[in-house]
Amino acid sequence: MCRNIVLFLFVIGAYCATAQPGKGRISVAKNLAAANELLANGSYYNAVYYLKNALDQEPDNLAVNYQLADTYRKARDYANAESYYGKIVSSDDPALALNYPLVQFYYALMLKYNGKYGQSSDQFEQFIDQYKGDRSNFYTNWSRAEMTGCRMGQNQIEKEKTKVFLLGKNINSGYTDYAPFALNDSFLIFSSIRSKYYLNQYDPARLSDIYVAPRIGNDWGKAKLLKGPKRIANHHTGHGSYSPKKDRFYFTRCPSEEPTSVKCAIFYTEYANESWSVPLQIKEMNITGYKSTSPFVVSDGYKRERIYFSSNRPGGRGGMDLWYIVRDREGNFSEAVNLKDINTSNNDITPYFNEANSTLYFSSNGYPGLGGYDVFKVKMKNDGWETVENMEAPVNSSTDDTYFSLAANGKEGFLVSNRSNPFGINSKTCCDKIYYVDFDYEKPVEPIEPPPEVVVNNTKKLGVEGVVYAATTEAIVELGGVKIQLYELSQGDKALVAELYSSTTEPYYMPLEQGKEYVLQFSHSSYNVEKIDISTKGIGKNKLIRKDLYLVKNEAVTKMKVSGKVYTDDGKDITTLNNTSVILYRFNPQTGSREVVSSYTTESGSYEVDIPEKGSYVIVFDSPNHFTTSYPVSTIAPDGELGEGRDIVLKVKEEGAIFRLDNIYYDFNSYELRDESREALDNLSILLQDNPGVVIEIGSHTDDSGEENYNQYLSRKRAKNVVKYLVEKGIDPLRLKYKGYGESRPIVENDSEENMQLNRRTEFKIMGN
C-alpha cells in the first residue's frame, strides 16, 4: 500500500511511491482502477503509467485525458499538463463545459506556469466570459489576479544587481529540499527528503528531516542532521526556527500516514543541562483536523517571542493563512492572531520576518504574480502593515517560489523553487530545490586580451603606452606586477574596459577609442595608488599617447597606527579592562562588506593597531560578558592623514544594567533634541548595530522643579524622541522601548544646581540580549 505524504508541511506536495507496475497489457478498466487507487494515496507519478496505458487503448477518451492532465498538474509536470488540458479545450464535444467546467481555467494556469503569458491571459479572459459554475466569484477574481500577473510577466525586467543561483549537491541532494535559513551567516539550516528514489520505488529513508551545512568560503560543506528536535517513527520533521537566544527550537511534524483527524502540527523543544527536551505541541497553534506549519520566531520585546506560522485553521480568509502567537517571558502562549490585512482568499504560506528592516516576507498564490506561488514582502508599521509588494524577477518565476529568507548581511538570501533545474527527477519542474540570491551581484569582468598589434606607418593605433617605475631614494627602476586598469567615463559613471599588469621587459599598451574620456589607475600593494586622466577628444586615430609613471612606496601609510585605552563599564564604575579581542576589518563603503585584516588579544588595558595601507577600516572590540563595540578608521581623508585612535568603553552585557548617556541636551522646557546630542546617540546606534540581539529601554529623568505630572510628560516625550532618532539611524523599533520617569528616580538630592543637573539625565537599560 502506497503511503500518503502530507507535505503541506513542506507546502508543496511530495508524492509517494509504489513498485514499478508490470508490463503486461491489461484492460482500460483495470488500468483506471489501478490509477485511481494510486491517486487516492497521492502517488501521482505512478498513476501516470496506468493512465497512459488506458489512453493508448482509447486515445480520444476525454475523461482519461482530463484525469491525466489533472495528474500531471498535481505532479507539477506543467509541460505535459498543458498539453493534455489543451487537447481537451480544443475538443468539439458538446458536453465539454458541463463535464469539465474548470478545464479552461487549469489550461490557462498551466500556460502561465510555462511562461506563456499572452496565451494564458487570453484563456483566462475566455474562461471568465463563459464560466457560470460553482464559486463563480472566487474563480473570476482568481482569474483576474492571474491576468494581472500575466501583464507583469510580459513586462518584467530582471534586476541587473540581483542574481539567483541553484545551490550544489551538498544541499540539493534528494527529492525535495526546502525551508533554508542562514544561521549567523556561517551555517545553513534546511529541510530535505534525502532520497533520490522517492518517486518511483519504496525507500525506507524517505522521511523528511532537518539538516545543517557549514559555510566554506563561497560554498557549503556536507550537510549533517541537526541536533535538537527528537525524531519519531513515521513522521516527517521540517521547518526549523530558533528562538532569539537559541535556547528553543520550533519545528513541524507531519505523519507520513495521515489519519483524517491528524494533520501537520508545530512543536518546540528547549535546551537545558546540555540536552534538548522532549518536544511539546503548542495548543494555541494547533487545532485537531487542521494543518499548522512553517514556524518562524523573532523577538517581540523583553524576553518575548513572536512566532509566525501558516495554517488553514478556522477564522482565516482563505485556504492557508498567515498567523502569529506571542510567547511571554513566563512561557505562556497567546491566542493566535490572523494577519487579516495581508492574507488572501487563496493560500498564504512560508512566513519569514527580518528584524533588521521590519519586513515580513511570505509566499502567496492569491496576489497577482508571475505564476504559482510568488514571494511578497510587506513592511511593518506601528499600527499595522504597509502595502504588500511583489519581489519580482528573478526572485520570482512562472513556477512556485517559496521560503524566502535573508542572510544577516541583508545582501544575500535564500529561496525555494521548482523552476526548471537539472536536478529534476521525473520532470524539470517536479521538485523543490534551494537557491541562493545575490542582491549585490556584479557580472565578472572577462579578461580583455590585448588586441594584436596593428601597425600603421610603423605606429600603433590610437592608444596609451608607457613604463611604470618605482621611485626610491636610491634609484628609479622599472616596476613589474603593477595592476593597470583602464576605466571609461560616461555621464559620471565609470566602466572597466581593460586590465593588465606591468612588465620590466616591455612597455604597457592599451588601445583607446576616439572621442572618449578615460581614467588610468595604477595600484600595487606596496605603493601609493596613482591615477591619470586621458581624453581622446580631438585626437587622431593613429595617435599614441605616452604616459610613464613613477610610483612612490607607501612607507608612511604602513607605519600608521591607532591606539587607545580599553575600559569596562558596569553602569556604576568604569575601570581598566584587560584581555580584549581587537579585530581590524577592511571596510567597503559601497557594499558594506567587511574583510578581516588582523586580530589579537590585549594583555593590558590598552591597544595598538597597525593600519597596513590606504583605505577604510573598522576596528571591533570584543570581550566576554561585554557588548561588542567598534569605530571606523579611514586614511582616505581630505588631508590624507589617519584619524586619531580613541579610548574604548565596553559595557557589561547584563540584563537590567543601566547606563547613562552623557551629552544628551534639550532646550529649556523642550523635548526636541539639540544638535550636540547627536554624537552620543550615533555611538549608541553603532553599539546596537554591533549587537543585533540586544533590546534596550530609553529612560528619561528630570529634577523636581516644576509640576510632577508635567515632568512625567516631558521626560516621556524626551525618551520617545531619542527612540525616534535611533529608528531613523536604522535601528529596528522592536528593539527599542521608552519610558519617562519624570522626577520619580533621583540619584542624588535635588538640593543644588549641580545635583539637579545630575538628576536631569537620559539612560538606557538592557532589557534582553
Side-chain angles (χ1 to χ4, degrees):
M1 186 70 176
C2 174
R3 300 180 177 184
N4 182 29
I5 308 300
V6 182
L7 222 51
F8 216 101
L9 159 65
F10 320 118
V11 179
I12 314 300
Y15 315 105
C16 60
T18 188
Q20 184 67 29
K23 296 183 179 180
R25 185 176 178 86
I26 56 178
S27 69
V28 171
K30 288 184 177 179
N31 273 305
L32 292 179
N36 287 331
E37 181 177 355
L38 289 164
L39 291 172
N41 290 289
S43 185
Y44 301 113
Y45 280 101
N46 292 300
V48 163
Y49 175 88
Y50 292 102
L51 291 172
K52 291 185 75 173
N53 277 351
L55 274 185
D56 285 344
Q57 298 176 60
E58 296 182 5
D60 296 324
N61 188 322
L62 283 187
V64 180
N65 273 282
Y66 186 82
Q67 193 170 20
L68 182 56
D70 245 19
T71 301
Y72 273 127
R73 173 175 61 86
K74 293 172 183 176
R76 303 164 90 189
D77 186 339
Y78 307 133
N80 276 315
E82 176 198 324
S83 175
Y84 283 96
Y85 280 129
K87 180 178 179 180
I88 300 167
V89 167
S90 62
S91 169
D92 55 4
D93 188 327
L96 181 66
L98 179 64
N99 293 330
Y100 312 105
L102 292 177
V103 66
Q104 194 162 24
F105 173 83
Y106 287 124
Y107 178 49
L109 209 58
M110 293 303 97
L111 286 166
K112 187 175 182 181
Y113 275 37
N114 290 318
K116 300 175 182 179
Y117 293 116
Q119 297 176 56
S120 174
S121 186
D122 291 342
Q123 292 296 323
F124 276 123
E125 188 170 12
Q126 292 178 34
F127 171 75
I128 292 172
D129 290 341
Q130 299 172 9
Y131 184 67
K132 308 297 180 187
D134 295 339
R135 303 181 71 193
S136 176
N137 287 340
F138 172 79
Y139 282 107
T140 296
N141 291 335
W142 187 353
S143 296
R144 285 174 177 157
E146 295 291 352
M147 290 171 68
T148 301
C150 286
R151 289 192 292 273
M152 290 168 54
Q154 288 174 305
N155 298 321
Q156 68 178 317
I157 300 175
E158 289 195 2
K159 301 178 179 69
E160 290 185 5
K161 296 288 285 185
T162 301
K163 188 76 171 177
V164 176
F165 301 92
L166 179 67
L167 291 184
K169 292 186 178 180
N170 279 347
I171 305 299
N172 292 310
S173 67
Y175 163 61
T176 187
D177 308 282
Y178 64 100
F181 179 74
L183 183 63
N184 300 328
D185 287 350
S186 299
F187 296 92
L188 186 68
I189 296 174
F190 65 100
S191 303
S192 176
I193 295 179
R194 308 303 266 179
S195 166
K196 296 181 180 180
Y197 310 102
Y198 185 74
L199 290 175
N200 297 320
Q201 65 185 59
Y202 174 74
D203 181 4
R206 70 193 180 281
L207 293 177
S208 169
D209 222 321
I210 303 176
Y211 296 83
V212 59
R215 187 163 200 160
I216 302 175
N218 293 323
D219 205 349
W220 300 94
K222 187 175 181 181
K224 296 182 180 179
L225 275 177
L226 180 73
K227 295 181 180 179
K230 292 179 171 61
R231 286 75 178 175
I232 60 176
N234 300 322
H235 279 71
H236 296 289
T237 303
H239 300 133
S241 180
Y242 283 103
S243 63
K245 286 191 172 183
K246 311 296 186 294
D247 55 352
R248 263 176 299 284
F249 188 76
Y250 296 80
F251 64 97
T252 309
R253 271 184 185 162
C254 221
S256 57
E257 296 185 22
E258 185 182 15
T260 303
S261 62
V262 180
K263 305 290 183 182
C264 302
I266 296 172
F267 292 72
Y268 77 98
T269 177
E270 295 187 296
Y271 189 76
N273 300 320
E274 299 185 352
S275 65
W276 290 92
S277 65
V278 174
L280 299 175
Q281 261 202 64
I282 305 172
K283 63 182 181 63
E284 290 79 5
M285 301 177 82
N286 304 311
I287 296 179
T288 301
Y290 297 92
K291 301 182 182 78
S292 291
T293 182
S294 308
F296 188 81
V297 192
V298 294
S299 173
D300 193 62
Y302 179 47
K303 289 188 177 179
R304 288 157 53 97
E305 297 167 6
R306 176 177 289 211
I307 306 105
Y308 293 95
F309 66 104
S310 183
S311 177
N312 64 346
R313 59 193 290 143
R317 288 196 59 193
M320 297 293 288
D321 269 15
L322 302 178
W323 303 74
Y324 75 86
I325 65 170
V326 174
R327 182 187 188 276
D328 66 23
R329 55 189 296 184
E330 284 78 32
N332 302 309
F333 292 98
S334 70
E335 293 299 317
V337 178
N338 184 272
L339 298 182
K340 58 183 179 181
D341 294 335
I342 298 175
N343 289 316
T344 68
S345 57
N346 279 30
N347 293 318
D348 306 284
I349 57 175
T350 63
Y352 158 75
F353 189 87
N354 184 270
E355 295 186 73
N357 60 13
S358 300
T359 299
L360 178 69
Y361 298 84
F362 65 100
S363 290
S364 175
N365 64 356
Y367 289 97
L370 301 184
Y373 286 93
D374 269 21
V375 179
F376 297 85
K377 64 179 180 179
V378 57
K379 193 172 182 64
M380 177 184 281
K381 59 183 179 181
N382 291 334
D383 57 347
W385 302 90
E386 296 182 0
T387 304
V388 173
E389 297 179 40
N390 189 295
M391 290 284 283
E392 302 178 347
V395 170
N396 288 318
S397 67
S398 63
T399 57
D400 291 319
D401 303 292
T402 56
Y403 292 105
F404 177 83
S405 66
L406 281 173
N409 59 25
K411 296 183 181 298
E412 300 173 301
F414 299 92
L415 170 75
V416 170
S417 180
N418 72 318
R419 63 189 66 185
S420 180
N421 70 80
F423 291 167
I425 300 174
N426 281 39
S427 72
K428 290 184 177 181
T429 57
C430 77
C431 308
D432 284 322
K433 296 299 165 190
I434 297 174
Y435 290 78
Y436 162 79
V437 186
D438 185 350
F439 289 102
D440 195 27
Y441 176 75
E442 291 189 9
K443 186 177 180 179
V445 178
E446 297 183 5
I448 299 176
E449 295 291 335
E453 186 175 296
V454 179
V455 179
V456 179
N457 296 328
N458 296 321
T459 304
K460 294 176 182 176
K461 277 192 173 183
L462 175 61
V464 58
E465 74 169 5
V467 177
V468 183
Y469 298 96
T472 69
T473 56
E474 293 82 16
I476 295 178
V477 297
E478 293 184 14
L479 181 63
V482 176
K483 182 190 288 186
I484 307 173
Q485 295 170 299
L486 180 67
Y487 293 91
E488 180 185 326
L489 302 180
S490 176
Q491 297 180 345
D493 295 328
K494 67 177 186 178
L496 182 67
V497 294
E499 179 179 296
L500 54 81
Y501 287 86
S502 66
S503 167
T504 58
T505 59
E506 60 183 13
Y508 71 86
Y509 167 75
M510 288 182 170
L512 304 174
E513 295 181 19
Q514 288 180 286
K516 298 289 184 69
E517 299 286 343
Y518 296 95
V519 170
L520 202 57
Q521 179 173 296
F522 302 81
S523 56
H524 188 287
S525 60
S526 300
Y527 294 81
N528 294 333
V529 175
E530 297 290 347
K531 296 179 181 179
I532 298 175
D533 294 328
I534 299 174
S535 175
T536 60
K537 293 181 178 179
I539 291 180
K541 62 181 181 180
N542 295 325
K543 175 70 174 178
L544 190 61
I545 302 171
R546 182 78 183 194
K547 293 292 182 182
D548 294 338
L549 193 78
Y550 300 84
L551 291 184
V552 178
K553 203 170 184 66
N554 56 6
E555 293 175 351
V557 176
T558 59
K559 293 180 180 178
M560 288 184 177
K561 298 178 183 294
V562 291
S563 61
K565 301 289 186 181
V566 184
Y567 299 96
T568 177
D569 179 7
D570 63 1
K572 301 173 183 177
D573 297 305
I574 297 178
T575 56
T576 299
L577 180 63
N578 301 329
N579 301 320
T580 302
S581 174
V582 183
I583 308 171
L584 177 68
Y585 290 89
R586 183 176 285 104
F587 177 68
N588 186 325
Q590 281 73 44
T591 65
S593 61
R594 295 180 177 184
E595 176 186 359
V596 176
V597 177
S598 64
S599 64
Y600 81 104
T601 302
T602 66
E603 295 181 357
S604 63
S606 61
Y607 72 94
E608 185 175 87
V609 177
D610 293 325
I611 306 299
E613 58 187 5
K614 285 185 178 180
S616 297
Y617 298 87
V618 174
I619 304 179
V620 176
F621 300 82
D622 198 7
S623 183
N625 304 317
H626 289 75
F627 288 108
T628 300
T629 299
S630 68
Y631 73 88
V633 172
S634 177
T635 63
I636 312 175
D639 56 7
E641 294 182 358
L642 182 67
E644 295 181 356
R646 63 181 71 173
D647 292 343
I648 293 297
V649 179
L650 296 181
K651 300 187 183 300
V652 172
K653 187 188 292 185
E654 181 179 342
E655 281 189 18
I658 298 175
F659 301 95
R660 181 176 181 129
L661 285 168
D662 293 322
N663 304 318
I664 304 297
Y665 301 110
Y666 309 88
D667 288 329
F668 175 72
N669 201 30
S670 170
Y671 49 79
E672 295 298 328
L673 285 163
R674 284 163 51 181
D675 289 343
E676 303 96 296
S677 307
R678 299 183 185 280
E679 182 178 354
L681 294 181
D682 288 346
N683 289 336
L684 177 57
S685 73
I686 291 173
L687 181 131
L688 292 171
Q689 290 165 10
D690 287 339
N691 301 272
V694 67
V695 178
I696 67 170
E697 175 195 271
I698 298 294
S700 181
H701 303 261
T702 68
D703 56 38
D704 65 354
S705 60
E707 201 272 328
E708 181 178 354
N709 287 341
Y710 180 74
N711 285 341
Q712 182 72 28
Y713 163 79
L714 185 63
S715 63
R716 183 175 183 276
K717 294 291 284 186
R718 286 177 171 177
K720 185 176 181 180
N721 265 8
V722 170
V723 167
K724 179 182 176 182
Y725 182 87
L726 293 171
V727 170
E728 289 172 352
K729 299 295 288 186
I731 305 303
D732 185 349
L734 293 177
R735 301 173 57 198
L736 303 170
K737 313 296 179 185
Y738 64 89
K739 188 170 184 179
Y741 290 93
E743 62 188 66
S744 65
R745 294 190 180 182
I747 54 177
V748 293
E749 293 292 331
N750 286 291
D751 55 6
S752 67
E753 178 55 37
E754 181 181 359
N755 282 353
M756 294 174 75
Q757 180 62 45
L758 288 173
N759 287 329
R760 294 193 294 268
R761 68 197 189 277
T762 299
E763 302 169 329
F764 72 91
K765 180 179 180 181
I766 308 302
M767 306 296 290
N769 58 75

